[in-house]
Amino acid sequence: MDEASFQQSDDQNDLIEIRPSSSIFSSNFWHGIPSRIVPFEELVSYGQELSGMLGDLGLYIPIVVSFATTKGPDGNYQIDLGATLIFTGLCNILTGLAFKVPIPVQPMKSIATVALGKFTTAQIMASGFLVGLVTFLLGVMNLMGLVGVLLDNAVIRGLQIGIGLDLFSKALLYLPGGKKPSFDYNQWASWDGFLVAVLATCFAALTLRSKRVPTAFLLFLFAVVVAAARMTSAGIPFSGEMTRLRVVNITAADWAVAATTGIAGQIPTTAINSCVAVVKLSKDLFPGRRTGVTERRVAMSVGLLNMVMVWFGGYPMCHGSGGLAGQHRFGARTNLSILVLGACKLLLGLFVGNGLAQLLRFFPQSILAVMLCISALELCFAGRSGLQGDPASVRLCFLTVCFTLFWGQHFGVVLGLLAALVAHLAACAMGPPDEVA
């Protein structure tokens, strides 16, 4: 038998030997499952992965805590903290299984700006469902990329800055005196007062740039300790009951409020920041890797998650480029950080969700205000590219900011896009600005 025949025989034998090892009945198959889920070869260290999972909490904690401790117009707290922890934990786990990089699960900030203190639970959930539905349909029809091209970048960035400034002003209302602060002793010398807020702000200013210090998480832990002490001094025992899920009843009036007020600012920001921008950032941060992150898959992920979880009281969530940047900055390089974070949220929500919600009633308003302000500034920072273009784009960005601040998100979006259309038609009719006499 010649050498070629021997080689062919050897190759066939190799194939015969390999096939049993790839069978589901082989131990090698089951041992290889973890590496199929998590790309361990991309890990820098497990410590950095665990640190990176905290990089997204700077936006998650303040918004979720704010809604869990604020009552809506019906007199009830706006969200169920236990349900939100459970379903955001499940969202983290499903997202970690779908993508190989640390794609975050963040609260929808545009909805938060219009809904905080003004919407009922059902209206918040209806807003999340409608945003999820629109996003899912855009993903299914593979139109998300086209939306990113059609929406003017200056308008979207102006909308982000306007929403951030609006959220910043609402955060300051948590401090004593509201819009009329003073140097009264009672407004300063208390856990809800200005002195604690100043100290928390100084701590945040010193540590926010650190890659090793999870600022928001440490502020949250400190506030929880203070809340526990205040709760104990009030003689209220901690409840360790498991969370009981309930189906949210959404009426026609709730759908109307959501459609007219709740989603106008969130849909374009979700399209740009949660779908288009997060895909671009993923390619920049993880070049050459097979991450599974595409505009279509991300849009369908946002849509499906929200269309399911809002019916059980989970606050509407999305995937944000800011959260991805934060997790990468703190050390996350794979989906392992997302899977661990999701498991932690799920366990907390299942077993101590009700008790934690009760504890947060004593949460220091001063620290909550600082954390919300940080989130608001991060949202403004995400829109900074709108201030770096040509003068016409910068004017359009500022115009959208003004519309959003004074007339709200829905007018901000519509009037901003209308101004962009007028500017484009003027340029087509009269030529570029440097050519106009």
Side-chain angles (χ1 to χ4, degrees):
M1 187 177 293
D2 58 12
E3 182 178 354
S5 300
F6 274 117
Q7 181 66 40
Q8 183 177 5
S9 176
D10 289 342
D11 291 344
Q12 290 174 349
N13 289 335
D14 288 342
L15 289 175
I16 292 174
E17 291 176 359
I18 291 173
R19 283 170 185 166
S21 67
S22 61
S23 169
I24 62 173
F25 299 105
S26 168
S27 60
N28 289 337
F29 177 85
W30 296 105
H31 291 162
I33 287 180
S35 61
R36 291 187 180 96
I37 297 175
V38 178
F40 288 101
E41 68 277 3
E42 302 292 344
L43 280 174
V44 177
S45 72
Y46 289 103
Q48 284 200 356
E49 286 294 310
L50 295 179
S51 174
M53 78 178 188
L54 304 177
D56 190 29
L57 296 183
L59 292 174
Y60 180 88
I61 291 175
I63 292 178
V64 170
V65 170
S66 299
F67 278 91
T69 57
T70 303
K71 292 185 177 181
D74 58 355
N76 297 317
Y77 290 104
Q78 290 189 281
I79 64 170
D80 184 325
L81 181 62
T84 296
L85 284 172
I86 289 171
F87 282 97
T88 53
L90 288 173
C91 289
N92 276 123
I93 293 172
L94 293 173
T95 300
L97 294 174
F99 306 109
K100 303 299 183 185
V101 293
I103 298 297
V105 174
Q106 295 181 307
M108 290 189 177
K109 295 172 284 295
S110 299
I111 290 179
T113 305
V114 297
L116 188 60
K118 297 179 180 179
F119 279 23
T120 64
T121 301
Q123 290 165 355
I124 295 171
M125 301 309 148
S127 300
F129 181 88
L130 292 178
V131 173
L133 178 61
V134 172
T135 307
F136 178 76
L137 292 176
L138 289 173
V140 168
M141 294 184 289
N142 207 19
L143 295 177
M144 192 55 71
L146 179 62
V147 171
V149 173
L150 293 178
L151 291 177
D152 194 284
N153 180 69
V155 174
I156 300 304
R157 300 312 177 191
L159 179 65
Q160 287 180 311
I161 296 172
I163 291 172
L165 293 175
D166 190 22
L167 184 60
F168 188 91
S169 66
K170 289 185 177 180
L172 296 180
L173 295 178
Y174 280 91
L175 294 171
K179 294 184 178 181
K180 296 181 180 179
S182 70
F183 288 95
D184 182 75
Y185 177 83
N186 293 327
Q187 291 193 7
W188 283 81
S190 70
W191 286 113
D192 296 319
F194 287 104
L195 181 59
V196 175
V198 169
L199 294 176
T201 302
C202 292
F203 172 76
L206 291 172
T207 59
L208 268 178
R209 298 182 64 183
S210 172
K211 296 182 179 181
R212 298 183 179 274
V213 181
T215 304
F217 186 68
L218 292 179
L219 284 175
F220 176 71
L221 284 183
F222 174 74
V224 166
V225 172
V226 172
R230 297 173 75 181
M231 184 175 171
T232 303
S233 64
I236 300 176
F238 183 83
S239 173
E241 295 180 4
M242 291 185 65
T243 299
R244 296 179 181 178
L245 298 177
R246 61 183 181 86
V247 177
V248 178
N249 181 30
I250 304 177
T251 66
D254 297 326
W255 291 113
V257 171
T260 56
T261 309
I263 67 173
Q266 187 62 58
I267 289 177
T269 53
T270 296
I272 296 298
N273 191 49
S274 299
C275 298
V276 178
V278 79
V279 173
K280 291 181 179 179
L281 182 60
S282 175
K283 292 178 180 178
D284 292 339
L285 296 178
F286 309 104
R289 281 179 55 179
R290 297 179 61 183
T291 62
V293 181
T294 64
E295 291 163 349
R296 184 179 188 182
R297 293 189 69 193
V298 172
M300 292 176 65
S301 171
V302 172
L304 286 173
L305 295 178
N306 283 286
M307 287 192 293
V308 173
M309 74 174 180
V310 297
W311 292 104
F312 302 95
Y315 184 85
M317 296 285 161
C318 61
H319 306 310
S321 58
L324 175 58
Q327 288 178 336
H328 184 274
R329 182 171 175 268
F330 276 94
R333 295 296 183 269
T334 72
N335 53 342
L336 179 63
S337 60
I338 300 299
L339 293 170
V340 174
L341 178 61
C344 292
K345 288 180 183 178
L346 180 60
L347 292 175
L348 279 175
L350 282 173
F351 297 108
V352 296
N354 288 333
L356 191 58
Q358 189 180 30
L359 180 66
L360 292 181
R361 309 289 184 255
F362 297 88
F363 201 89
Q365 299 293 290
S366 53
I367 296 180
L368 179 59
V370 172
M371 294 172 68
L372 270 178
C373 285
I374 294 172
S375 297
L377 291 177
E378 285 295 322
L379 184 56
C380 292
F381 185 70
R384 67 190 183 280
S385 64
L387 306 177
Q388 299 171 350
D390 58 273
S393 296
V394 173
R395 292 190 194 100
L396 183 59
C397 180
F398 275 122
L399 189 63
T400 306
V401 171
C402 295
F403 286 147
T404 303
L405 281 177
F406 288 99
W407 285 332
Q409 296 179 30
H410 44 298
F411 281 109
V413 173
V414 173
L415 294 177
L417 291 175
L418 183 61
L421 178 61
V422 171
H424 178 70
L425 293 176
C428 292
M430 304 178 64
D434 55 348
E435 297 180 6
V436 179

